[in-house]
């Protein structure tokens, strides 16, 4: 097949009220080379630090998102993006008062086995 139209992305509820809508990836399409997902992070959401074995591009489409990467804190506003290279120690959060909507692209595809999350 020359193309795949994704009409039914897989909805994955996550800890802290975060919503993951995986369009392509290991779970939704068994794609191991790349994952593409739209996320909604509620106000006050955060996840533990992690040291992933994949590169992750994030593009904020609504609100803002905080990224702590290798000791630096970055706030991404809507329309801004970041690439966090594999092997970086990173924590993503939304400590702000409004919901954050963003897109995430991981190469190779996101995997719970290669995200290497730290204990809280």
């Amino acid at each position: 097949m020359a193309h795949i139209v994704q009409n039914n992305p897989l909805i994955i509820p996550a800890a802290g009220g975060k919503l993951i809508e995986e369009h392509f990836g290991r779970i939704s399409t068994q794609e191991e080379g790349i994952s593409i997902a739209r996320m909604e992070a509620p106000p006050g959401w955060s996840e533990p630090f992690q040291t992933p074995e994949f590169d992750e591009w994030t593009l904020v489409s609504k609100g803002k998102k905080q990224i702590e990467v290798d000791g630096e804190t970055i706030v991404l506003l809507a329309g801004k993006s970041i690439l966090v290279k594999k092997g970086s120690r990173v924590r993503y959060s939304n400590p702000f008062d409004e919901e954050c909507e963003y897109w995430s692209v991981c190469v190779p595809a996101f995997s719970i086995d290669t995200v290497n999350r730290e204990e809280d």
Side-chain angles (χ1 to χ4, degrees), residues 89-104:
R89 184 173 185 258
V90 62
R91 176 169 52 188
Y92 299 102
S93 64
N94 179 13
F96 309 107
D97 294 332
E98 63 181 300
E99 180 179 82
C100 177
E101 179 182 280
Y102 62 98
W103 287 83
S104 174

Side-chain angles (χ1 to χ4, degrees), residues 24-69:
F24 296 93
R26 291 178 192 271
I27 299 172
S28 61
T29 59
Q30 291 72 56
E31 173 64 48
E32 295 187 13
I34 189 171
S35 58
I36 301 172
R38 188 183 72 83
M39 318 279 198
E40 294 176 6
W45 166 83
S46 70
E47 58 188 17
F49 275 100
Q50 57 196 29
T51 308
E53 297 173 29
F54 47 81
D55 291 336
E56 183 168 2
W57 289 261
T58 299
L59 169 65
V60 175
S61 52
K62 176 181 160 189
K64 52 189 172 181
K65 182 179 180 184
Q66 181 170 290
I67 298 102
E68 298 166 74
V69 59

Side-chain angles (χ1 to χ4, degrees), residues 109-120:
F110 176 91
S111 167
I112 199 67
D113 296 327
T114 61
V115 73
N116 301 314
R117 288 200 176 119
E118 297 177 10
E119 296 293 321
D120 278 331

